[in-house]
Amino acid sequence: MIEVQRFSKRFGENWAASDISFQVKEGEVFAFLGPNGSGKTTTLRSMVGLTVPTSGRILINGVDVRKFPRETKRFMSYLPQRVVFPDNCTAREVIDFFCRIRDLPPGRAEGVMQAYQFADLSGQYVGEFSGGMIQRLGLAVAALPDAPILLLDEPTANLDPQGVKRFREFIMHQKENGKTILFSTHLLHEVEQLADRVGVFVNGRLAAVEYIDSLRRTYRATTSIEDMYLHYVEKRDYERN
Amino acid sequence: MQGKTIYVIARQELTINIRNRWTLIFALVFGVLVVSIAYVGIMAEGFSGVQSFTRTSASLLNLVLYVIPLVGIVMGTVSFTGDKGSMELLFAQPLVRTEVMLGKVLGVFASIALSTIIGFTLAGLVVVLGNGPEGIASYLSFVVLALVLSLAFLNLAVLVATACRRKAKAFGIALFLWFFFVLFYDLMVLGSTLLLKGQTANRALFLSLFGNPVDMVRVATLIILDNVTIFGASGAALLRFLGGGTLSVLALIGGLCLWTILPLVVSHRLLLKQDI
């Protein structure tokens, strides 16, 4: 269970995230929806301890991420928006490195190499990889620890259609295995296809948290899900003014 | 803090750095220069043999004082201003930030040390084969001091990279620091002592020595090589104040340790508070 309690983050004079609270249940797929700069990435990054909260706290299974980073991060696997690996390392070395960092048995690396089709490419340097292969390696690294919680920051940004398809299959597979998944996106159809619940981010605030089914029921008759999102944005702007 | 995690990160960093062509170029150029300098002694001594360890160390000193700090500061900056995506992925693993910092420092230092030691070993072999092992202890002390100097500048680079975050800015400041300590500092100190008189000038010279790791290594090496005649004003002031070579070297080693540890302590404090 993930619990974000009154999380706020300020960069200089700007509040990137302000008073954000929500909970994510075990096995749930939760999407952060919002335009660029709405606070999705800041919130997601703070959940793995990359961003230090200005106030508030984040609990993973009741344990504070800030106070116990090692213990809480064992439950999580995070994939940044832009995945980068050292050019002069092979896929095998990258997987082995993360395997050793997480103290996983060597057999786990072997299994992931096979599952993500790197077994035949194990000697090839990452610098020779295509964008799609690097993404696949990123997903392999994310899947490596078999962590119960997956955090993915705009995973389909900059991907070609094949990469997007691969990512969706990855999410569905992880969901079937009972993983709790949080991902950020600004693509509404992605939320509709993959998420159970969505948190709508507008100007650094969490404007709403809704079940996808409930949203569909509410807005089906009159508007599209895009209109629903714009409704929240306008409502937020109205409240600010 | 877990030693195993630090070791895994250090090993990865060492692998990356060893495969980096700049490390290879440095190792090659440094090796060629060091061996060449050792051989120059043959001509200087009328082809009577390769020069001794003491003379080789003294000849290598200037090269070391210019090149080693530059390599330390550049490689440290490159490593600690790495791509955001890879840093995020690393820091998101179940570890604490201290482990990442120490692992990366050790890995980069190991790669610098490896390149440096190869160069020094080749030169050492040339000297041993030509002139025997006499004076090898001073030579080894000189190698250790060169390594400490590289670590001091590596840690300065870590501090700059942690404080600046942006690659271009960090590189600019790091190179300025190299220029300041290697080229400008002595001029500044000597210029300022012209404004002071007698004992005050001496005291200023003595204290100024501890403000620059490059000067500390230079003076400590010259004391170890028993080459006090080319000390310069700060070294002479040091001997006068501390009254002997051993005490002076110990004081300089203490100063170097501080220069090595303090930037890392400050970087660590910054790293714990900042966003990745």
Coordinates of all heavy atoms in Angstrom, one line a residue, chain A residues 13-46:
Chain A
E13 N 10.7 29.8 -6.1 CA 9.4 30.4 -5.7 C 8.2 29.6 -6.2 O 7.1 29.9 -5.9 CB 9.4 31.8 -6.3 CG 10.4 32.8 -5.7 CD 10.2 33.0 -4.2 OE1 9.0 33.3 -3.8 OE2 11.2 32.8 -3.5
N14 N 8.5 28.5 -7.0 CA 7.4 27.8 -7.6 C 7.1 26.5 -6.9 O 8.0 25.7 -6.5 CB 7.8 27.4 -9.1 CG 8.0 28.6 -10.0 OD1 7.3 29.6 -9.8 ND2 9.0 28.6 -10.8
W15 N 5.8 26.3 -6.7 CA 5.4 25.0 -6.1 C 5.1 24.0 -7.2 O 4.2 24.2 -7.9 CB 4.1 25.3 -5.2 CG 4.4 26.0 -4.0 CD1 4.3 27.4 -3.8 CD2 4.9 25.5 -2.7 NE1 4.7 27.7 -2.5 CE2 5.0 26.5 -1.8 CE3 5.2 24.2 -2.3 CZ2 5.5 26.4 -0.5 CZ3 5.6 24.0 -1.0 CH2 5.7 25.1 -0.1
A16 N 6.0 23.1 -7.3 CA 5.8 22.0 -8.3 C 4.7 21.1 -7.9 O 4.1 20.5 -8.8 CB 7.1 21.3 -8.5
A17 N 4.6 20.8 -6.6 CA 3.5 20.0 -6.1 C 3.1 20.6 -4.8 O 3.9 21.0 -4.0 CB 4.0 18.6 -5.9
S18 N 1.8 20.6 -4.7 CA 1.3 21.3 -3.5 C 0.1 20.5 -2.8 O -0.9 20.2 -3.4 CB 0.7 22.7 -3.9 OG 0.3 23.4 -2.8
D19 N 0.4 20.1 -1.6 CA -0.6 19.5 -0.7 C -1.2 18.3 -1.4 O -2.5 18.2 -1.4 CB -1.6 20.5 -0.3 CG -2.3 20.1 1.0 OD1 -1.7 19.3 1.7 OD2 -3.4 20.6 1.3
I20 N -0.4 17.4 -1.8 CA -1.0 16.2 -2.6 C -1.1 15.0 -1.6 O -0.2 14.6 -0.9 CB 0.0 15.9 -3.7 CG1 -0.2 16.9 -4.8 CG2 -0.3 14.5 -4.3 CD1 0.8 16.9 -5.9
S21 N -2.3 14.5 -1.6 CA -2.6 13.3 -0.8 C -3.4 12.3 -1.5 O -4.3 12.6 -2.2 CB -3.4 13.7 0.5 OG -2.6 14.6 1.3
F22 N -2.9 11.0 -1.5 CA -3.7 9.9 -2.1 C -3.2 8.6 -1.6 O -2.1 8.5 -1.0 CB -3.7 10.0 -3.6 CG -2.4 9.8 -4.2 CD1 -2.0 8.6 -4.6 CD2 -1.5 10.9 -4.4 CE1 -0.7 8.4 -5.2 CE2 -0.3 10.7 -5.0 CZ 0.1 9.4 -5.4
Q23 N -3.9 7.6 -1.9 CA -3.5 6.2 -1.5 C -3.6 5.3 -2.7 O -4.5 5.5 -3.5 CB -4.4 5.6 -0.4 CG -4.2 6.4 0.9 CD -5.1 5.8 2.0 OE1 -5.9 4.9 1.8 NE2 -4.9 6.3 3.2
V24 N -2.7 4.3 -2.8 CA -2.8 3.4 -3.9 C -2.8 2.0 -3.2 O -2.0 1.7 -2.4 CB -1.6 3.5 -4.9 CG1 -1.8 2.4 -6.0 CG2 -1.5 4.9 -5.5
K25 N -3.8 1.2 -3.6 CA -4.0 -0.1 -3.0 C -3.1 -1.2 -3.7 O -2.7 -1.0 -4.9 CB -5.4 -0.6 -3.1 CG -6.3 0.2 -2.1 CD -7.8 -0.2 -2.3 CE -8.4 0.6 -3.4 NZ -9.8 0.4 -3.7
E26 N -2.9 -2.2 -3.0 CA -2.1 -3.3 -3.6 C -2.7 -3.9 -4.8 O -3.9 -4.1 -4.9 CB -1.9 -4.4 -2.5 CG -0.7 -5.3 -2.7 CD -0.6 -6.3 -1.5 OE1 -0.7 -5.9 -0.4 OE2 -0.4 -7.5 -1.8
G27 N -1.9 -4.1 -5.9 CA -2.4 -4.7 -7.1 C -3.1 -3.7 -8.0 O -3.7 -4.1 -9.1
E28 N -3.1 -2.4 -7.6 CA -3.9 -1.4 -8.4 C -3.0 -0.8 -9.5 O -1.8 -0.7 -9.2 CB -4.4 -0.4 -7.5 CG -5.4 0.5 -8.0 CD -6.0 1.5 -7.0 OE1 -5.3 1.8 -5.9 OE2 -7.1 2.0 -7.2
V29 N -3.5 -0.4 -10.6 CA -2.8 0.3 -11.6 C -3.3 1.8 -11.5 O -4.5 2.1 -11.8 CB -2.9 -0.2 -13.1 CG1 -2.2 0.7 -14.0 CG2 -2.5 -1.6 -13.1
F30 N -2.4 2.7 -11.1 CA -2.8 4.1 -10.8 C -2.0 5.0 -11.8 O -0.8 4.9 -11.9 CB -2.4 4.4 -9.4 CG -3.0 5.7 -8.9 CD1 -4.2 5.7 -8.2 CD2 -2.4 6.9 -9.1 CE1 -4.7 6.9 -7.7 CE2 -2.9 8.1 -8.7 CZ -4.1 8.1 -7.9
A31 N -2.8 5.8 -12.5 CA -2.2 6.7 -13.5 C -2.1 8.1 -13.0 O -3.1 8.6 -12.4 CB -2.9 6.6 -14.8
F32 N -1.0 8.8 -13.2 CA -0.9 10.2 -12.9 C -1.2 10.9 -14.3 O -0.4 10.8 -15.2 CB 0.5 10.6 -12.5 CG 0.8 10.2 -11.1 CD1 0.0 9.3 -10.4 CD2 2.0 10.6 -10.5 CE1 0.4 8.9 -9.1 CE2 2.4 10.2 -9.2 CZ 1.6 9.3 -8.5
L33 N -2.2 11.7 -14.4 CA -2.6 12.3 -15.6 C -2.5 13.8 -15.5 O -3.0 14.4 -14.5 CB -4.0 11.9 -16.0 CG -4.6 12.5 -17.3 CD1 -3.8 12.0 -18.5 CD2 -6.1 12.2 -17.5
G34 N -1.8 14.4 -16.5 CA -1.7 15.9 -16.4 C -0.7 16.3 -17.5 O 0.1 15.6 -18.0
P35 N -0.8 17.6 -17.8 CA 0.1 18.2 -18.8 C 1.6 18.3 -18.2 O 1.8 18.1 -17.0 CB -0.4 19.5 -19.1 CG -1.2 19.9 -17.9 CD -1.7 18.7 -17.3
N36 N 2.5 18.6 -19.1 CA 3.9 18.9 -18.6 C 3.9 20.0 -17.5 O 3.2 20.9 -17.7 CB 4.8 19.3 -19.8 CG 5.0 18.1 -20.7 OD1 4.8 17.0 -20.4 ND2 5.3 18.5 -22.0
G37 N 4.6 19.7 -16.5 CA 4.8 20.7 -15.4 C 3.6 20.7 -14.4 O 3.5 21.7 -13.7
S38 N 2.8 19.7 -14.4 CA 1.6 19.7 -13.5 C 2.0 19.0 -12.2 O 1.1 19.0 -11.3 CB 0.5 19.0 -14.2 OG 0.8 17.7 -14.5
G39 N 3.2 18.4 -12.1 CA 3.6 17.9 -10.8 C 3.6 16.3 -10.8 O 3.9 15.7 -9.7
K40 N 3.3 15.7 -11.9 CA 3.3 14.2 -11.9 C 4.7 13.6 -11.6 O 4.9 12.8 -10.8 CB 2.9 13.7 -13.4 CG 1.7 14.3 -13.9 CD 1.3 13.7 -15.3 CE 2.4 13.8 -16.3 NZ 2.6 15.1 -16.9
T41 N 5.7 14.1 -12.4 CA 7.0 13.6 -12.3 C 7.6 13.9 -10.9 O 8.2 13.0 -10.3 CB 7.9 14.1 -13.4 OG1 7.4 13.7 -14.6 CG2 9.4 13.6 -13.2
T42 N 7.4 15.1 -10.4 CA 7.9 15.5 -9.1 C 7.3 14.5 -8.0 O 8.1 14.0 -7.1 CB 7.5 16.9 -8.8 OG1 8.0 17.8 -9.8 CG2 8.0 17.4 -7.4
T43 N 6.1 14.2 -8.1 CA 5.4 13.3 -7.1 C 6.0 11.9 -7.2 O 6.4 11.3 -6.2 CB 3.9 13.3 -7.3 OG1 3.4 14.7 -7.3 CG2 3.2 12.5 -6.2
L44 N 6.1 11.4 -8.5 CA 6.6 10.1 -8.7 C 8.1 9.9 -8.2 O 8.4 9.0 -7.6 CB 6.5 9.8 -10.2 CG 6.4 8.3 -10.7 CD1 5.2 7.7 -10.0 CD2 6.3 8.2 -12.2
R45 N 8.9 11.0 -8.5 CA 10.3 10.9 -8.2 C 10.5 10.9 -6.6 O 11.4 10.3 -6.1 CB 11.0 12.1 -8.8 CG 11.4 11.9 -10.3 CD 11.8 13.2 -10.9 NE 12.7 14.0 -10.1 CZ 14.1 13.8 -10.1 NH1 14.6 12.9 -11.0 NH2 14.9 14.4 -9.3
S46 N 9.6 11.7 -6.0 CA 9.7 11.7 -4.5 C 9.4 10.4 -3.9 O 9.8 10.1 -2.8 CB 8.8 12.8 -4.0 OG 7.4 12.4 -4.2

